[in-house]
Amino acid sequence: MLVALLASPCVQLLDVTGPTDVFAEASRQLGDPQAYKLRVISTGPQVISSSSGLRLVADATVVSHRGAIDTLLVAGSPDVGAIVGDERTEGWLRKQASRVRRIGSVCSGAFMLASAGLLDGKRVTTHWNFAARLSAQFPQLQVQADAIHLRDGKLYTSAGVTAGMDLALALVEEDHGRDLALRVARELVMFLKRPGGQSQYSVHLAAQMAERTSIRKVQESILARLNTDLSVPALAASVGMSERNFSRVFRAQAGVTAAEFVETARIEAARRLLEERDDALKRVAEAVGYTNVDGFRRAFQRCVGIPPAEYRRRFPR
């Protein structure tokens, strides 16, 4: 089957090469070079300058491409404004959307599909940093900012950059089953399914961004022992600081209060448990540091927008 990646000038190179490497590895594992035939199609010149400055030679352009496409993915760019508004490309996308078995986007490529009118009323995702902009610019979309990738009918969208590989792996699993997808994931050193959503990665990345070593250590300690006493007095004492000074420094370094960081980390861990295990809510709550199930439910509702039981129903194992 032919898998095509649509790329524009200033494309994020990994939005193209990440998914194509997943499909190529699947073909290798199958021992069938024709399982996934890969093609890069340019919206403009055949030689594309990526956002990193490296150049990519496309197999064809939207003008010269001929032949049936099975799966069409639109790659994104850090410069969203540079990839939307081209009527020729949008017309080509609309035509292909009526013909392909499935169509989707990687990262900010969702803006191209939205501008072409192909996402109206659909559940979609994009890079967490562009989600609010996508929602504001196209209010008819149902943007779910925390998802790694989403399917709505024949439409598939993924979160930022490397999430395009997660999407490609999901498509391989859809086509050829879990065993092949797992072999591909192992070879490429990937998760078959990433634990949690984009916000979970935001919390862990935040733990690496504090300039003061003492605050980084506190954040790492929080993530490593969620079911212990993580109150401000306990955290301040662990680094030999007064509560007042600790609270001030933590907020300045992390951008949130210590209590907010702890709650977000606990709820993200709870989400992974709900997605991966069948434990009772009481056990999930205790595992992430809540002694009271009702308190856990309130915190989960506050952070995620739905109760934990409903979350489990929406995202079954």
Side-chain angles (χ1 to χ4, degrees):
M1 66 179 69
L2 180 63
V3 177
L5 275 292
L6 182 66
S8 301
C10 295
V11 69
Q12 182 101 38
L13 203 56
L14 196 54
D15 286 8
V16 177
T17 59
T20 54
D21 272 351
V22 171
F23 291 120
E25 179 60 28
S27 290
R28 191 184 75 81
Q29 291 282 345
L30 289 167
D32 179 8
Q34 300 301 307
Y36 291 106
K37 295 181 289 184
L38 302 170
R39 194 168 177 82
V40 176
I41 301 174
S42 173
T43 64
Q46 201 155 344
V47 177
I48 305 166
S49 292
S50 70
S51 60
S52 66
L54 294 178
R55 291 183 295 175
L56 179 68
V57 180
D59 299 288
T61 70
V62 293
V63 174
S64 66
H65 170 75
R66 299 291 182 272
I69 297 171
D70 176 85
T71 301
L72 174 61
L73 298 178
V74 180
S77 167
D79 183 3
V80 172
I83 63 173
V84 296
D86 179 62
E87 293 183 4
R88 182 179 64 185
T89 298
E90 291 177 5
W92 185 85
L93 280 170
R94 286 190 289 270
K95 182 184 296 184
Q96 293 299 326
S98 66
R99 299 173 175 174
V100 300
R101 179 166 66 99
R102 54 195 180 194
I103 187 170
S105 61
V106 179
C107 195
S108 61
F111 283 81
M112 290 180 69
L113 293 179
S115 186
L118 298 174
L119 303 188
D120 291 0
K122 300 291 187 178
R123 294 169 53 250
V124 302
T125 193
T126 188
H127 191 295
W128 63 267
N129 201 31
F130 290 130
R133 178 175 174 179
L134 182 66
S135 185
Q137 193 168 333
F138 302 99
Q140 65 273 36
L141 277 53
Q142 300 176 41
V143 179
Q144 298 187 13
D146 193 48
I148 296 296
H149 56 78
L150 286 174
R151 176 184 180 181
D152 192 330
K154 64 185 284 184
L155 171 71
Y156 299 74
T157 53
S158 83
V161 197
T162 57
M165 298 178 71
D166 296 82
L167 172 58
L169 195 60
L171 297 179
V172 168
E173 182 177 8
E174 185 178 284
D175 293 336
H176 297 284
R178 180 183 176 86
D179 287 346
L180 176 64
L182 186 56
R183 295 204 305 272
V184 173
R186 284 173 174 164
E187 184 66 26
L188 298 181
V189 197
M190 295 173 60
F191 286 111
L192 178 59
K193 180 183 178 184
R194 286 201 211 195
Q198 294 194 74
S199 64
Q200 181 255 330
Y201 286 89
S202 297
V203 170
H204 285 262
L205 286 173
Q208 302 171 38
M209 292 172 66
E211 294 180 5
R212 286 182 60 152
T213 303
S214 59
I215 298 303
R216 278 204 309 273
K217 287 182 177 178
V218 169
Q219 292 172 318
E220 291 165 0
S221 178
I222 289 170
L223 295 171
R225 52 187 191 93
L226 292 172
N227 63 346
T228 62
D229 180 7
L230 299 178
S231 63
V232 169
L235 294 173
S238 72
V239 287
M241 298 171 66
S242 69
E243 292 179 33
R244 182 176 180 181
N245 189 43
F246 171 77
S247 296
R248 179 185 62 78
V249 173
F250 191 100
R251 187 181 184 95
Q253 292 285 302
V256 294
T257 67
E260 289 169 338
F261 186 91
V262 168
E263 180 175 82
T264 301
R266 281 175 164 162
I267 295 304
E268 287 304 329
R271 289 175 62 168
R272 295 198 300 278
L273 292 176
L274 291 169
E275 291 171 2
E276 298 168 4
R277 288 153 55 173
D278 296 323
D279 294 349
L281 287 185
K282 185 175 186 296
R283 291 191 63 185
V284 172
E286 290 173 348
V288 297
Y290 288 92
T291 57
N292 182 286
V293 175
D294 289 336
F296 167 63
R297 286 195 183 98
R298 287 193 296 271
F300 197 96
Q301 175 85 41
R302 182 166 55 250
C303 291
V304 182
I306 57 174
E310 175 62 19
Y311 183 87
R312 174 172 271 166
R313 281 194 292 271
R314 291 191 190 183
F315 301 96
R317 292 180 63 197

